[in-house]
Amino acid sequence: QHQLQESGPGLVKASETLSLTCAVSGASIRSDNYYWGWIRRPPGKGLEWIGSISYSGSTYYNSSLKSRVTMSVDTSKNQVSLKFNSLTAADTAVYYCARYNFWSGPSYDTWGRGTLVTVSS
Amino acid sequence: QSVMTQPPSASGTPGQRVTISCSGSSSNMGSNALNWYQHVPDAAPRLLIYSSSLRPSGVSDRFSGSKSGTSASLAISGLQSEDEADYYCAAWDDSLNAWVFGGGTKLTVL
């Protein structure tokens, strides 16, 4: 069973680019049954879907964020990555990596604990 | 403003049954699977219910879900202190081409 662990810088400056990594353990990410997604939760607000990626690199992005988001996958390291540019204070949030399972819903059925990103001015 | 609407708070005493509602539209839960999540602060969100009423392996049968048209509900029976958490509904939205979430309901066990 997959376990997910997000990592990132914690604090980034406005206008810079955020880079986050999701390390997947317990099983290979090379499966046609799953995609790998990113979801965030700004402080005091609800969850917002950022997008998802397959192990072969097919991507789906939230259209409201698409111009600033790039997702990638490294199957040799069993990890997925998120890059988010032109940051503002509104991008301050806990960022979660999650497994998208086509056979349960579909749904994001396994999540990491998240990593807090604070954008400073 | 969330695309799907949930009450911001709910509460109950140990042993009680509580329900949390989620209201959407024809473009999201009206035509797609509806999922429920439990989120305890500083922990990983946990899938409780998928496809409106199905429980993943390991989820207690105290949790149950239902959906009718563009409204859904999550019921928690035999309320326990460890059920205190935030609860979210989620569905794919065909108009937005995005996964959308309810605003979340904070459940307090009194």
Side-chain angles (χ1 to χ4, degrees), chain A residues 95-110:
Chain A
Y95 286 75
Y96 299 96
C97 173
R99 185 182 78 174
Y100 181 73
N101 188 338
F102 289 96
W103 295 103
S104 58
S107 67
Y108 285 97
D109 69 344
T110 303

Side-chain angles (χ1 to χ4, degrees), chain B residues 10-50:
Chain B
S11 63
T13 57
Q16 263 191 332
R17 181 179 187 270
V18 297
T19 61
I20 297 171
S21 63
C22 176
S23 177
S25 68
S26 58
S27 63
N28 44 64
M29 76 162 79
S31 50
N32 297 301
L34 191 284
N35 307 320
W36 287 95
Y37 295 91
Q38 178 191 58
H39 188 202
V40 175
D42 298 326
R46 177 191 180 199
L47 178 67
L48 285 181
I49 298 288
Y50 66 95

Side-chain angles (χ1 to χ4, degrees), chain A residues 5-116:
Chain A
Q5 177 70 56
E6 306 88 347
S7 61
L11 181 66
V12 290
K13 293 182 179 179
S15 79
E16 292 187 342
T17 296
L18 170 66
S19 293
L20 297 177
T21 297
C22 174
V24 181
S25 59
S28 172
I29 64 172
R30 294 179 62 91
S31 170
D32 291 326
N33 294 322
Y34 308 118
Y35 270 42
W36 306 92
W38 290 93
I39 296 123
R40 68 181 182 178
R41 182 179 179 183
K45 296 186 178 181
L47 295 165
E48 181 180 31
W49 179 71
I50 300 171
S52 62
I53 187 169
S54 70
Y55 79 89
S56 60
S58 297
T59 53
Y60 294 88
Y61 296 143
N62 188 328
S63 58
S64 67
L65 302 170
K66 186 175 182 177
S67 63
R68 300 195 290 134
V69 171
T70 303
M71 293 182 186
S72 59
V73 61
D74 187 333
T75 55
S76 66
K77 294 182 178 179
N78 222 43
Q79 67 184 32
V80 295
S81 299
L82 170 70
K83 288 190 184 298
F84 213 126
N85 60 36
S86 303
L87 294 171
T88 70
D91 296 311
T92 293
V94 177
Y95 286 75
Y96 299 96
C97 173
R99 185 182 78 174
Y100 181 73
N101 188 338
F102 289 96
W103 295 103
S104 58
S107 67
Y108 285 97
D109 69 344
T110 303
W111 297 56
R113 296 184 64 172
T115 185
L116 174 63

Side-chain angles (χ1 to χ4, degrees), chain B:
Chain B
Q1 198 83 356
S2 299
V3 174
M4 296 195 293
T5 303
Q6 297 179 236
S9 63
S11 63
T13 57
Q16 263 191 332
R17 181 179 187 270
V18 297
T19 61
I20 297 171
S21 63
C22 176
S23 177
S25 68
S26 58
S27 63
N28 44 64
M29 76 162 79
S31 50
N32 297 301
L34 191 284
N35 307 320
W36 287 95
Y37 295 91
Q38 178 191 58
H39 188 202
V40 175
D42 298 326
R46 177 191 180 199
L47 178 67
L48 285 181
I49 298 288
Y50 66 95
S51 294
S52 304
S53 61
L54 302 178
R55 281 187 305 274
S57 172
V59 174
S60 170
D61 60 4
R62 296 189 300 107
F63 296 93
S64 62
S66 63
K67 188 183 81 168
S68 178
T70 59
S71 294
S73 64
L74 172 71
I76 309 170
S77 61
L79 198 63
Q80 300 176 2
S81 58
E82 56 259 41
D83 297 331
E84 192 161 281
D86 295 323
Y87 292 83
Y88 293 90
C89 56
W92 177 259
D93 191 292
D94 292 330
S95 296
L96 298 174
N97 282 320
W99 277 90
V100 293
F101 294 86
T105 298
K106 183 176 182 59
L107 175 64
T108 301
V109 180
L110 301 171

